[in-house]
Amino acid sequence: MKKILITGGTTFVSKYAAHYFSEHEYEVYVLNRNTKPQIQGVTLIEGDRHKLGDKLKDFHFDVVADITAYTGDDIIDLYEALGSFDQYIMISSSAVYPEDGAQPFKEDSTRAVNKFWGTYGTNKINAENCLLKRVPDAYILRPPYLYGPMDNVYREAFVFDCAKAGRKFYLPKDGGMKLQFFHVEDLCRLMEVIIKTKPEDHIFNVGNVTAVSIKDWVTMCYACFDKIPDFVNVYEDTEQRNYFSFYNYEYYLDVKKQQEIYPDTIPLAQGLKESANWYVSNEAEVNKKPYLKYIDENLRK
């Protein structure tokens, strides 16, 4: 049974990963400050990754799954606190690519500031650099929008709320903007493939091969509740994130390297249904934003 250290373990991706690996015959350790409920079946190492002292020095981990590294200091402080380990996998982000770069983005595309993601993206670049300087054979995964059960971000959940309430849906322009997604379970399965096969490539763009228009995405979300959306197209010059859960930014990742080792991903409609089923029972876990308030006060007709 392999020992895996997961940073976090209490929110969305890291929480799902802790659950996934505990269900797939791994001995799971989670590193967090113990301020939220823990997943059953894991061993908690309580602490702040920046103030660990010798807490990790006596452990050997087969895998370090660093899901909560957002800055260079996050990497440096955890690395210096670790005892020994065999593999290190960091979850980075597609935000490392500039919005004006040539698309589809490939793993060797230029990384630079993205005006939509700002310091989040540049901090991820720094984290990647710090990791590769210390662990040259580390694996780095760059996902697009992650979704699935346990997602606490108000994206598909916002559309689910509109569908449940039978509301019209206020769609940016004609709804043609495309998005790329990746199910959190696909992310975990891919990590498991990497753990078992140790592929030669070490940096992967990850995601579904096919992007989807926001109109089709909303339609799939409504279908989870057996509803068909009545769209209102918004052409007003207003910030899209005031009333919609994504920036006005279309991008696409080249995921050919991922396909070579993990070709089959969860169909988006199926994944959204899983998300909807989870949300119905766990609505309080989602951090809601005032999109509906803005719509009612500024756009509703």
Side-chain angles (χ1 to χ4, degrees), residues 201-215:
D201 289 316
H202 283 258
I203 300 178
F204 290 89
N205 289 335
V206 302
N208 294 345
V209 174
T210 304
V212 61
S213 73
I214 54 175
K215 184 175 183 178

Side-chain angles (χ1 to χ4, degrees), residues 5-288:
L5 174 67
I6 294 176
T7 60
T10 60
T11 303
F12 187 26
V13 180
S14 63
K15 182 179 181 180
Y16 193 98
H19 172 74
Y20 176 90
F21 284 102
S22 68
E23 293 288 313
H24 287 75
E25 299 184 350
Y26 286 77
E27 186 177 352
V28 177
Y29 292 77
V30 294
L31 172 63
N32 62 64
R33 291 171 291 181
N34 198 22
T35 60
K36 298 177 181 179
Q38 305 293 327
I39 288 290
Q40 290 186 346
V42 305
T43 299
L44 170 66
I45 301 175
E46 184 175 341
D48 184 323
R49 69 187 292 157
H50 301 291
K51 302 174 183 178
L52 288 171
D54 294 330
K55 283 189 177 184
L56 301 179
K57 289 300 184 184
D58 293 334
F59 288 93
H60 172 80
F61 296 107
D62 297 288
V63 185
V64 175
D66 199 347
I67 297 173
T68 60
Y70 298 103
T71 68
D73 286 343
D74 287 344
I75 292 291
I76 294 167
D77 290 346
L78 178 62
Y79 174 78
E80 292 181 349
L82 288 167
S84 59
F85 60 89
D86 293 333
Q87 286 180 289
Y88 198 120
I89 302 174
M90 174 196 165
I91 306 304
S92 184
S93 170
S94 58
V96 300
Y97 301 118
E99 80 285 349
D100 56 356
Q103 298 190 36
F105 294 117
K106 298 183 178 181
E107 287 83 355
D108 60 357
S109 293
T110 298
R111 297 173 301 155
V113 64
N114 181 304
K115 72 177 184 180
F116 294 99
W117 296 111
T119 56
Y120 173 75
T122 52
N123 283 340
K124 281 287 192 180
I125 293 171
N126 191 32
E128 289 185 3
N129 293 344
C130 288
L131 176 58
L132 293 177
K133 181 178 179 180
R134 290 158 179 81
V135 189
D137 63 348
Y139 289 94
I140 293 173
L141 308 183
R142 297 173 182 157
Y145 293 109
L146 290 165
Y147 79 107
M150 303 187 189
D151 188 353
N152 66 315
V153 183
Y154 200 43
R155 291 194 289 243
E156 60 265 22
F158 161 59
V159 189
F160 296 156
D161 279 345
C162 293
K164 288 193 300 177
R167 293 177 62 104
K168 293 182 178 181
F169 194 86
Y170 287 74
L171 189 71
K173 300 182 173 61
D174 65 355
M177 186 183 82
K178 291 186 176 182
L179 300 173
Q180 192 173 18
F181 291 94
F182 199 47
H183 196 292
V184 65
E185 184 173 337
D186 282 321
L187 181 70
C188 293
R189 289 178 180 176
L190 174 59
M191 290 169 65
E192 195 168 18
V193 169
I194 289 171
I195 291 166
K196 291 179 177 178
T197 66
K198 299 179 174 64
E200 291 185 7
D201 289 316
H202 283 258
I203 300 178
F204 290 89
N205 289 335
V206 302
N208 294 345
V209 174
T210 304
V212 61
S213 73
I214 54 175
K215 184 175 183 178
D216 288 343
W217 175 75
V218 170
T219 300
M220 282 188 270
C221 288
Y222 268 70
C224 294
F225 296 90
D226 297 321
K227 301 285 184 67
I228 297 173
D230 181 7
F231 289 110
V232 178
N233 299 99
V234 179
Y235 291 96
E236 286 89 340
D237 185 19
T238 185
E239 171 55 49
Q240 182 168 300
R241 280 295 296 272
N242 287 334
Y243 66 94
F244 188 62
S245 45
F246 294 93
Y247 289 112
N248 182 19
Y249 169 47
E250 178 178 293
Y251 70 94
Y252 187 60
L253 301 176
D254 183 319
V255 296
K256 291 187 179 68
K257 287 186 178 182
Q258 170 204 298
Q259 287 182 278
E260 291 175 2
I261 63 170
Y262 185 74
D264 299 319
T265 57
I266 295 169
L268 183 56
Q270 175 186 326
L272 288 171
K273 183 62 176 178
E274 293 173 7
S275 300
N277 291 340
W278 175 85
Y279 180 61
V280 167
S281 301
N282 298 275
E283 185 173 345
E285 293 188 30
V286 177
N287 299 322
K288 297 194 176 187

